[in-house]
Amino acid sequence: MTNQDQIENTEDTGVTRRGFLGLMGAGVAATTALVSVDSNAQFGQHKTGHKLAFQQNEAQYEEALNNPPQIPNYNWNDHKWSYGVDVSRCIGCMRCMEACKAENSVQEDANHHRTWIERYVYLEGAEEALVDSAADPKNIEYVGSEVHFRFDNRYKDEKVDKAFFVPKLCNQCEEPSCVQVCPTGATFKAPDGVVLIDTNYCFGCQYCVQACPYGVRSLNEERGTAEKCNWCYHRITKGLNPACVEVCPTGSRVFGDLNDKNSPISLFIKNNQVTVLKSEMGNKPNLYYAGADKEVS
Amino acid sequence: MPKHIVRLLTIIAVLVIVALSARFYFKDSSFYQYGHYRGKAPAEIASKLPKIQGSASCQSCHKAIYDEWSAGIHRKSTKDNAVPGIVVKAGPNCEVCHTPAGNHPSKEPMPLSVEDRMTTVTHSHDHVHASNIPGRKLMLTPDEMRGVCIACHEKMPGRPSIQPQVVINAHAGEELCTTCHNPHSPKINYDKVPRMVAMKKAGVGNATAGKVVSANCATCHGNTGISASGAIPNLAGQKSIYLANSLRAYKSNARSNGIMNAMASALSDSDIENVSTYYSQNSCKAPSVDKGKAAAGKAKFAEVGCAACHSSGGLRKPGLAGVSASQVWPNLAGQNAEYLVSALKAYQEGNVKANQDGARYHAIMTDVAKTLSASDIENLAAYLASSSCK
Amino acid sequence: MEQVFGQVAPYIGYVYPNETEIPWTDLIVIYPYITGLVAGAFVVSSLHHVFGIERFKAVSKFALLTALCFMCFAPIPLLFHLGQPTRAFEPLITPHFTSAMAMFGYVASFYVCLLSLEVWFAFREDLVHLSKTSKGFAKKIYTVLTLGSDDISPKSLALDHKIARILAMIGIPGAMGLHGYVGFVFGSLKTREWWSSDLMPPIFLVSAVVSGVGLLIVLYVITCKYRKVVPDHEAMVGLKQVLWASLIIVLVFEGLELLEMVYKAREGIETVMALIKGPIWAGMSIQWGLSFFSLAVLSAMMIKNPQGKKFVNWMFVCGLAMMVAVLAMRWNVVIGGQELSKTMKGLLTYYPQILGRESLLTVLFLFMGPFITLYFAAQFIPPWEDAKSHPHGKAAAH
C-alpha cells in the first residue's frame, strides 16, 4: 500500500498545512481503495463467469479481479445483468428495432439486426404457425423502405386462431457458443454477464455467426466485423436502460440487475413462469421469456 | 553432421526466433488481463455515447409539451398487472416518435416533424436550418404522419386487445390523425382541445339567421363584411370556425377589444354560429396596395414559413398564399393591410400571461412575429392584402 | 419466391432475418476442397516413402510437389473471405484454444513447413545436379536452394532418406489431423443440423483422399501426354486401388451419415428432406451420381484389369469424375448447411455472385493458382522418375 507508506512518512517528517491536506486526501483514497478491494473480493468469491485466463497465475488473476476496467462509476463485479420479454404485451410496432439501429449504428437494411420482432400467426385450423419478420419481402414492400420497419397487415381478412409477436435479441448465454468458437478472442463474456464484441480485434471470419443457435449475429459489411446486441453496454454501464427497453411503449421488455432483488428483472423472473429458447443447445441463455409459445425457437 | 543439415537447422532456428519475437511484439499488452481478450476492450465499448437521451432530457426546453405528454395517456406509470409490484413504464416516450435525439439540440434539429420547421423559425440563431441539410425533408407527408401512429395503433391480428387499435380508413378516412388527436396526449378531451370545441360546433350556423344578426355589425364591418375602414378587418369569406372562435374569445374576454367585447357579450351561442356562417359565405375583395412592398413581402412570407399554416397547400405543396388550409386558422389574403399590421404588432407585444391592452398571445404567432421588423410587417401585410382571396 | 435484393438469398418458410445473407460462400467451398486435394497427393507419396510401395515410385515426387503447390494456396480463400484480412495474424498471436478455427494457422503452417522440408529432401540431389549444370541466374537460385552444400555422398543421401522417411511419418498423422480438423470445423457446430455430425471429420478426411488421388491421376495423365510418355502402368494400378478403396469408405460414411439423420428424425427433419430435394438437389445428384459411376467403372476395372490406352483413359475419366463429385460434396456441405435455416422452419437458396470479392471469378483465379505454380515448379525442379524425363538432369547424374 503506497498510500499508507506516504502517511507514515508524512507523520515522521512533521505536518505542514499543505501536507496535512495531502495527508487527508491520501487517507481518504486509501480507505476507499481498501473498501473497494474488500467488496470486490466478496463478489469474486461467488463468481462463476470469471475464470483464470491463459498465461495468468493466481496473483495476476486476483489483481485483475480487483482492478476492473476503467469505466466511470461502474464496477463490473457488482452487476449481473439479465433481460426479460413478456410476449403477451408486445404489439409488434418495431420501434425497438429502429431505436436499436440508431443507437448502435447497425447497418441500415432489412438483413442486419441486433434485435427483431417475429410475428407468429396460426390461421384457423392450422397446426403450424406462419412466421415472418422485418426481412420478409412483403413487409419491406409494404413500408417501401429497408430502413423503417412495420408489419404489413396481411392477415387482416383471414380467420386467425392465435397470433402474437415475439421480440428476439442476443441471449447473452452463460455458455456462449460464439465465444467458444471465436479464434482470436475478439468476443468474450464480461463478468457482469454481457457477451461483448471487440470490433478493434475481430477479423470477420464469421465463425461466430455460424455458431450462434439464435441467429443474432451477422457480419457488418461496413466495418468488416461481427455484429451483435450487447444490451447497449455503453448505456447500462451509465445507469441507463438498453435502447429497446427505453423505447418499448408497452413495457414488454424488462431489464435489470439480478444482484438487486427488487430490480424489474428479478421481480419479472420471480413472478412469472419463464422459459428460455433452445435450452437443448446447452447455452444457458440469460434472456427469459414469459408466455412464449411452443413454436417459438 | 552434414553441412546442409546444419544450415537447415540454423534457418529453422532463426525462423522460430523471428516468429516468437513477432508474437511478443504484436500482442496487445492488455491481452489476457481479464481473460482471453483485450483488457482495454470493455472500457472502449462502454465509452460510446448514448444517442437515445430519454424524455427527461427534452423537458428543460420543451416544458409545455413535456407536461402535456406526461399528463396524458401516452405516458402512463402503471402497476403492472402481470407482474405484481413492478412499475413498468407504458406508452411511448418522446424519442419513439421523434426519433433519437442524438446531438440535438447542440448540433442537430430533431428529424421528425412539423416542429422541425417551427424550431428553425423560432430559434433560427441556435439551429442549423433543416432545409440546409441535403436529403432532409422538411415535414412528413400525410402518409408518413399516419404511419407514425398506425405503427402501434393499426388493428392487426396478434396485437394484444389491451392496445387501442383502429382500422385506419374506417376510423379516419383520408384525414390526418392530428386533426382530432393531439399526438402528445391523444385522448380526445373536448373541453380542453380548442380545435375540438370548434369541430363539435362546426357547420351548425344558419346564414339567413346570421344575416339578421349581422345588421349590428354593418356599421364597422360593412353590409357583406367588407369593412368601412382599413383598421377594421374584412370578414367576408373568412373561415367560419375562425370567426366563431374569435367571437367566443371576445365574449369570454379571452381576447380584449373594448368594442368587440361589448358586441360579443350580447350574442348568444347560436347567434355567433349564424353570423360566422353568414360572413364566411360572402365573397371577399382585395384592396389595392404598394406593389414594391408586396414583392418584398412575398419573399419574407416564403422565408418565414407562413405557408405552413396560411397557405391552401401548406409547406408541402404551396397553394394559394394567405388562404388557410384549416378551418381553424384565418384567411389572410385580401385582408386590410392596416389591420394586418396592427394584428402582427399585437402579437409581437403579446406574452404568455398578458393578453390585454390590445396585445395578443399565440404560442406560434407571437414567436414568429417577434422575428419580424417593422418594415417586414408592412411588406407582409401589403403582400397578403394584395393576394387573391378566392 | 423471386430474388428481391442484391446479395440476399431468397427463402421459403421462416428464417432469422440475419440469416438472409449467407456468411460462408464460394470461397469457403473452395478452401476445404483445395486443402483436400493436398491429402490425396500426400497419401500417395507417403505410400512410397513410408511404406516402401515401389509401384508409386514414378509419381511419388510429382505427388509431393503437387501437395506443396496446393497447400500454399489452401489458406488464400480464407484471407479473401475475412472481413478484416489485415488482422489475419491475430489467431496466431493470441490463439483461442477452444476454437477449432484458431488452430488453422498453426496446422496449416506446420503442414506447409513439413511439405517444404519433404520436398527439399526429396529434391536435394536433383538441386545439386541442377546447380552444377545450369547457367546464369538459374544457377544462383539452385545454389541458394542447396544451401551451398553439394554433399551428395551415399552416406549423406542415406541420412536424407532417413530424415525424409521420418518427416513423411510425421506427415501422415499431420495430414490426417489437418483434414479431420477441417471436418471438425463443420461437424462441431451444434447449431447446424446439416453439419452437426460425428462422422463429419472422417468423411472430410477420406473424401479429401479421394479427390486428391483423382487430381493426381488427372495431372499425371495430362503431363504424360504433354511429355509424350506412356503413363507408368504399375503406378496407375496402384492409384486405381487406392481410389477404389477410399471411394468405398467415403460412400459408406456418407450413406451412414444421411441414414442416421433420417432415422433419428429430430425436429425439422422435413426441412432437411426439403433441402435435399430443393436447393442442393443438383449438387446431391452430381455428388452421388458421379461417385456411383466411378465406383462402377473402377470395380469393373478391378475385375477385368484392362491394359494400355483404354485403362488410362478410363482412369482419367474416373479421376476427373471424383474431383467434380467431391467439389459438389463440399458445396452440398458448406452451402447446404447454411441454406437450412437455424429455425428449422425455412430454406434459403444461395446464388453465387459472378463478380466481386467473394465471387465465382475469385474462386476461378484462386483455383488456377496452384496449377500455374505447379507448372512452373515442375519446370524448375522436374519431378519425373520415368526414363525420358528431364534429359539434362538425368544425363548429368549418370
Side-chain angles (χ1 to χ4, degrees):
Chain A
M1 265 293 136
T2 49
N3 286 331
Q4 280 174 341
D5 293 347
Q6 261 179 0
I7 297 167
E8 280 155 19
N9 289 344
T10 334
E11 276 172 347
D12 287 347
T13 49
V15 183
T16 61
R17 185 180 149 80
R18 205 173 148 190
F20 179 68
L21 284 176
L23 172 90
M24 276 181 70
V28 170
T31 321
T32 324
L34 276 172
V35 169
S36 61
V37 164
D38 268 350
S39 61
N40 291 347
Q42 274 179 357
F43 278 106
Q45 281 169 1
H46 48 77
K47 186 174 310 301
T48 49
H50 226 179
K51 286 170 196 139
L52 223 65
F54 177 65
Q55 291 187 339
Q56 198 182 40
N57 60 33
E58 285 288 345
Q60 285 168 321
Y61 169 72
E62 199 63 34
E63 192 195 336
L65 211 59
N66 294 335
N67 293 291
Q70 300 287 312
I71 302 171
N73 304 319
Y74 183 79
N75 183 339
W76 69 4
N77 295 317
D78 298 349
H79 301 278
K80 183 80 186 112
W81 300 114
S82 192
Y83 199 111
V85 171
D86 189 343
V87 174
S88 64
R89 296 167 76 113
C90 180
I91 58 170
C93 63
M94 299 197 179
R95 296 308 90 197
C96 43
M97 296 170 68
E98 289 184 17
C100 172
K101 288 218 167 186
E103 180 70 38
N104 296 299
S105 317
V106 185
Q107 256 178 289
E108 296 269 326
D109 61 41
N111 306 292
H112 297 80
H113 299 287
R114 289 187 175 199
T115 181
W116 69 92
I117 310 282
E118 292 168 356
R119 170 167 63 183
Y120 289 74
V121 175
Y122 289 80
L123 294 179
E124 194 174 55
E127 282 182 14
E128 285 187 355
L130 296 166
V131 196
D132 67 310
S133 185
D136 191 287
K138 284 186 197 160
N139 288 335
I140 297 168
E141 200 185 325
Y142 173 67
V143 184
S145 151
E146 286 195 52
V147 185
H148 297 291
F149 307 109
R150 234 160 69 201
F151 281 114
D152 67 353
N153 210 345
R154 69 180 78 160
Y155 301 112
K156 66 181 167 194
D157 300 326
E158 309 265 1
K159 286 189 172 165
V160 174
D161 270 351
K162 178 163 79 166
F164 49 91
F165 298 97
V166 181
K168 291 280 187 79
L169 63 156
C170 178
N171 288 254
Q172 317 289 2
C173 310
E174 219 43 50
E175 303 289 340
S177 330
C178 51
V179 173
Q180 184 188 28
V181 303
C182 177
T184 62
T187 187
F188 53 93
K189 188 162 176 72
D192 49 10
V194 184
V195 177
L196 299 170
I197 297 176
D198 180 356
T199 46
N200 292 326
Y201 209 67
C202 173
F203 73 151
C205 70
Q206 302 168 60
Y207 201 21
C208 54
V209 179
Q210 304 286 16
C212 175
Y214 305 98
V216 301
R217 280 181 172 249
S218 62
L219 180 80
N220 186 321
E221 272 106 9
E222 286 154 17
R223 296 192 197 116
T225 56
E227 172 88 77
K228 174 189 85 73
C229 161
N230 55 14
W231 287 353
C232 287
Y233 199 66
H234 62 291
R235 295 177 64 89
I236 61 177
T237 49
K238 295 180 178 73
L240 302 167
N241 271 331
C244 50
V245 179
E246 180 68 28
V247 301
C248 180
T250 61
S252 60
R253 288 166 176 261
V254 182
F255 180 79
D257 189 346
L258 287 180
N259 286 348
D260 173 5
K261 291 293 162 224
N262 290 315
S263 68
I265 187 64
S266 300
L267 292 172
F268 177 82
I269 292 171
K270 187 180 160 199
N271 294 318
N272 283 298
Q273 278 73 48
V274 292
T275 52
V276 294
L277 301 180
K278 293 190 180 175
S279 57
E280 76 276 9
M281 288 288 169
N283 280 31
K284 299 183 190 157
N286 271 318
L287 169 60
Y288 298 97
Y289 283 84
D293 191 73
K294 72 176 169 65
E295 287 268 315
V296 180
S297 62
Chain B
M1 203 183 287
K3 195 162 69 172
H4 65 275
I5 302 287
V6 177
R7 288 187 177 168
L8 185 69
L9 289 176
T10 317
I11 289 174
I12 291 173
V14 169
L15 285 178
V16 167
I17 290 166
V18 168
L20 285 177
S21 39
R23 180 183 186 277
F24 185 77
Y25 179 75
F26 283 114
K27 187 177 80 69
D28 189 284
S29 60
S30 71
F31 216 92
Y32 300 121
Q33 189 183 354
Y34 303 111
H36 193 97
Y37 50 93
R38 289 190 316 130
K40 291 175 194 154
E44 281 174 21
I45 296 165
S47 69
K48 230 182 96 180
L49 291 174
K51 286 189 189 151
I52 291 180
Q53 308 285 5
S55 293
S57 71
C58 312
Q59 190 178 7
S60 56
C61 301
H62 306 280
K63 191 166 186 320
I65 288 173
Y66 182 88
D67 291 345
E68 202 176 27
W69 168 74
S70 59
I73 55 169
H74 260 177
R75 198 252 196 148
K76 288 192 290 203
S77 277
T78 50
K79 289 276 180 193
D80 187 4
N81 301 325
V83 188
I86 312 182
V87 177
V88 178
K89 183 211 66 127
N93 63 24
C94 306
E95 285 157 308
V96 174
C97 302
H98 292 281
T99 70
N103 285 328
H104 176 84
S106 59
K107 287 180 188 156
E108 292 171 351
M110 291 297 285
L112 179 76
S113 64
V114 183
E115 291 86 347
D116 198 354
R117 186 65 200 183
M118 290 307 143
T119 44
T120 53
V121 169
T122 52
H123 310 277
S124 55
H125 299 296
D126 309 334
H127 287 268
V128 180
H129 274 271
S131 49
N132 292 346
I133 300 167
R136 275 286 291 283
K137 280 186 298 187
L138 271 180
M139 296 176 79
L140 296 173
T141 65
D143 269 357
E144 285 172 328
M145 231 163 180
R146 283 163 63 139
V148 174
C149 304
I150 64 171
C152 299
H153 293 293
E154 186 180 21
K155 188 165 178 58
M156 187 182 282
R159 293 223 154 115
S161 54
I162 193 172
Q163 171 74 2
Q165 298 165 62
V166 295
V167 177
I168 184 70
N169 287 334
H171 175 81
E174 294 296 310
E175 194 55 62
L176 290 181
C177 308
T178 49
T179 305
C180 302
H181 298 275
N182 174 356
H184 299 126
S185 175
K187 189 168 189 178
I188 299 175
N189 183 336
Y190 290 93
D191 300 328
K192 288 200 176 155
V193 184
R195 254 183 241 192
M196 294 312 303
V197 177
M199 289 283 297
K200 265 206 321 193
K201 298 180 177 172
V204 297
N206 180 328
T208 320
K211 191 172 181 184
V212 178
V213 180
S214 77
N216 300 323
C217 318
T219 324
C220 299
H221 290 290
N223 282 330
T224 60
I226 305 297
S227 49
S229 149
I232 301 167
N234 290 338
L235 303 181
Q238 189 52 278
K239 305 281 186 202
S240 69
I241 292 177
Y242 172 74
L243 287 175
N245 280 348
S246 304
L247 282 171
R248 274 191 286 270
Y250 282 128
K251 192 178 173 182
S252 66
N253 286 332
R255 188 172 161 187
S256 71
N257 177 300
I259 298 165
M260 283 310 296
N261 291 144
M263 295 294 292
S265 66
L267 297 175
S268 70
D269 273 359
S270 60
D271 285 344
I272 289 178
E273 293 301 331
N274 294 341
V275 76
S276 301
T277 308
Y278 168 71
Y279 280 122
S280 71
Q281 287 173 357
N282 293 342
S283 57
C284 60
K285 185 182 126 199
S288 60
V289 293
D290 181 335
K291 290 209 169 132
K293 281 185 178 176
K298 186 175 185 183
K300 194 69 189 171
F301 185 86
E303 186 198 330
V304 175
C306 306
C309 304
H310 296 295
S311 159
S312 57
L315 275 182
R316 296 188 295 278
K317 198 174 73 184
L320 295 172
V323 178
S324 300
S326 162
Q327 286 291 310
V328 187
W329 301 320
N331 288 343
L332 305 178
Q335 189 54 276
N336 289 323
E338 202 181 324
Y339 169 72
L340 287 174
V341 170
S342 68
L344 278 170
K345 285 187 172 160
Y347 279 125
Q348 276 185 329
E349 288 161 16
N351 64 55
V352 181
K353 287 185 183 154
N355 212 2
Q356 53 225 11
D357 304 330
R360 291 171 77 177
Y361 175 78
H362 181 267
I364 293 163
M365 281 311 297
T366 302
D367 283 342
V368 175
K370 281 182 176 165
T371 67
L372 302 172
S373 69
S375 63
D376 285 341
I377 289 178
E378 297 247 315
N379 295 341
L380 274 172
Y383 168 62
L384 287 165
S386 69
S387 298
S388 165
C389 53
K390 283 169 188 168
Chain C
M1 189 179 289
E2 60 175 349
Q3 192 172 353
V4 197
F5 311 105
Q7 298 182 34
V8 178
Y11 64 88
I12 50 170
Y14 179 64
V15 304
Y16 293 131
N18 288 338
E19 281 187 302
T20 46
E21 271 179 26
I22 304 270
W24 289 357
T25 56
D26 329 350
L27 288 170
I28 308 298
V29 174
I30 208 76
Y31 145 67
Y33 184 58
I34 294 182
T35 315
L37 293 176
V38 178
F42 185 81
V43 162
V44 171
S45 82
S46 296
L47 285 175
H48 173 229
H49 282 127
V50 181
F51 301 106
I53 301 175
E54 283 299 317
R55 67 175 359 145
F56 289 117
K57 190 167 191 295
V59 291
S60 98
K61 275 167 99 176
F62 177 61
L64 210 50
L65 204 58
T66 309
L68 180 62
C69 290
F70 275 81
M71 194 58 218
C72 288
F73 279 86
I76 311 285
L78 293 183
L79 282 182
F80 272 84
H81 165 73
L82 289 182
Q84 292 277 0
T86 50
R87 299 181 186 162
F89 59 88
E90 282 171 359
L92 293 172
I93 293 172
T94 57
H96 195 211
F97 294 113
T98 61
S99 168
M101 201 181 271
M103 289 297 99
F104 174 77
Y106 285 109
V107 174
S109 5
F110 167 76
Y111 202 53
V112 169
C113 293
L114 193 83
L115 279 173
S116 311
L117 284 176
E118 275 198 62
V119 168
W120 191 72
F121 278 112
F123 285 86
R124 202 177 71 82
E125 194 185 347
D126 295 349
L127 285 170
V128 171
H129 290 310
L130 286 164
S131 72
K132 285 179 179 163
T133 52
S134 60
K135 291 192 185 74
F137 187 63
K139 185 184 175 74
K140 274 185 189 159
I141 293 183
Y142 285 124
T143 317
V144 169
L145 283 176
T146 58
L147 299 181
S149 160
D150 58 356
D151 182 1
I152 44 170
S153 62
K155 194 183 156 201
S156 73
L157 281 184
L159 180 66
D160 279 8
H161 188 72
K162 200 174 164 188
I163 294 174
R165 184 150 180 264
I166 292 170
L167 287 175
M169 280 173 69
I170 301 171
I172 290 172
M176 298 277 166
L178 176 66
H179 300 291
Y181 151 81
V182 174
F184 183 78
V185 165
F186 294 96
S188 64
L189 284 183
K190 60 191 171 191
T191 316
R192 297 226 179 258
E193 180 71 8
W194 191 238
W195 289 349
S196 169
S197 162
D198 303 340
L199 283 171
M200 210 43 106
I203 287 176
F204 264 73
L205 177 58
V206 191
S207 65
V209 173
V210 169
S211 67
V213 173
L215 172 78
L216 200 59
I217 294 168
V218 168
L219 284 178
Y220 185 56
V221 172
I222 291 177
T223 48
C224 284
K225 197 160 176 72
Y226 176 68
R227 292 181 298 127
K228 299 194 170 58
V229 182
V230 179
D232 187 280
H233 184 71
E234 284 301 306
M236 289 298 274
V237 169
L239 291 173
K240 178 182 77 181
Q241 288 164 349
V242 175
L243 190 58
W244 184 78
S246 44
L247 180 54
I248 283 181
I249 302 176
V250 165
L251 285 174
V252 169
F253 276 177
E254 284 177 350
L256 282 175
E257 197 218 346
L258 267 183
L259 183 66
E260 278 201 14
M261 200 181 287
V262 176
Y263 193 83
K264 283 179 193 162
R266 283 188 286 229
E267 186 189 349
I269 184 67
E270 307 85 6
T271 326
V272 174
M273 298 313 289
L275 171 77
I276 296 170
K277 288 176 198 153
I280 59 165
W281 179 83
M284 289 299 266
S285 309
I286 295 171
Q287 180 193 340
W288 289 92
L290 287 180
S291 295
F292 279 116
F293 164 78
S294 302
L295 184 67
V297 173
L298 285 169
S299 304
M301 289 199 293
M302 291 290 279
I303 295 163
K304 293 175 83 175
N305 209 2
Q307 305 285 322
K309 208 165 178 185
K310 194 175 151 196
F311 173 56
V312 172
N313 286 347
W314 275 113
M315 281 297 284
F316 181 80
V317 169
C318 285
L320 199 60
M322 281 327 293
M323 280 180 74
V324 177
V326 173
L327 181 60
M329 176 260 178
R330 301 291 194 246
W331 176 281
N332 295 340
V333 171
V334 176
I335 301 296
Q338 299 171 81
E339 287 179 330
L340 180 63
S341 168
K342 290 172 187 168
T343 60
M344 299 306 274
K345 286 185 179 62
L347 286 177
L348 296 128
T349 306
Y350 171 68
Y351 293 104
Q353 282 177 273
I354 306 296
L355 300 171
R357 196 179 64 156
E358 289 192 48
S359 66
L360 292 179
L361 193 71
T362 320
V363 167
L364 190 69
F365 274 110
L366 279 180
F367 196 58
M368 276 158 56
F371 290 99
I372 295 167
T373 316
L374 180 63
Y375 174 79
F376 285 112
Q379 301 286 312
F380 189 64
I381 35 171
W384 311 116
E385 296 278 348
D386 38 22
K388 274 167 70 182
S389 62
H390 65 98
H392 57 275
K394 282 286 169 191
H398 298 286

